[in-house]
Amino acid sequence: MDKPSTTQRYLSRTLLGTALMLPMLAFAGALSTSLLANNSAGDRMQSPLHIANLQHNPRRAFETLDANRDGYLTGDETAASRTVHLHFGVLDQDRDQRVSIVEFHRLPGMLEDVYAE
């Protein structure tokens, strides 16, 4: 039996590698298309953490961020919203390292001051 040439070995490995990569590339393409579709401006506007919704429906935003449902937001929980996370220190009036719903309701007024036109 003849030994395969270097070129034949290279081609067979390349084809095998390509065949193994195709499903992963197809998945990555589908995933990126899905992520792009979900990041359209309309979808962001519907998010409870969008700036407009933080101002108009703070309770919904608070409930979305309160991952453990204990009625308080910690710094870790606010990381899901850059806006809330940046204002955490100001919202935490009693300096107990957590923000209550009462403290959180100060956010819409703060955002109006910061983002006033």
Side-chain angles (χ1 to χ4, degrees):
M1 194 164 178
D2 290 332
K3 194 173 178 183
S5 71
T6 305
T7 304
Q8 289 173 328
R9 285 193 311 264
Y10 173 77
L11 286 175
S12 65
R13 287 180 184 161
T14 302
L15 290 174
L16 177 62
T18 303
L20 293 173
M21 290 292 291
L22 285 175
M24 290 190 299
L25 291 172
F27 174 75
L31 180 62
S32 64
T33 301
S34 172
L35 291 174
L36 287 173
N38 288 335
N39 278 336
S40 67
D43 290 340
R44 284 194 307 265
M45 289 291 291
Q46 298 303 317
S47 166
L49 303 179
H50 184 272
I51 188 119
N53 291 324
L54 286 170
Q55 290 177 296
H56 299 296
N57 196 348
R59 177 170 289 284
R60 183 171 173 225
F62 183 90
E63 290 169 354
T64 300
L65 289 169
D66 187 13
N68 62 1
R69 306 287 182 244
D70 67 351
Y72 294 94
L73 299 179
T74 62
D76 290 341
E77 288 174 319
T78 63
S81 170
R82 183 171 183 248
T83 303
V84 178
H85 195 66
L86 288 172
H87 292 90
F88 183 83
V90 178
L91 290 171
D92 183 17
Q93 287 183 304
D94 59 7
R95 303 289 180 243
D96 63 351
Q97 302 301 307
R98 57 189 193 165
V99 174
S100 69
I101 186 69
V102 173
E103 291 170 321
F104 191 79
H105 272 284
R106 295 181 55 231
L107 184 62
M110 291 170 52
L111 293 177
E112 285 179 17
D113 292 342
V114 172
Y115 298 104
E117 295 177 323

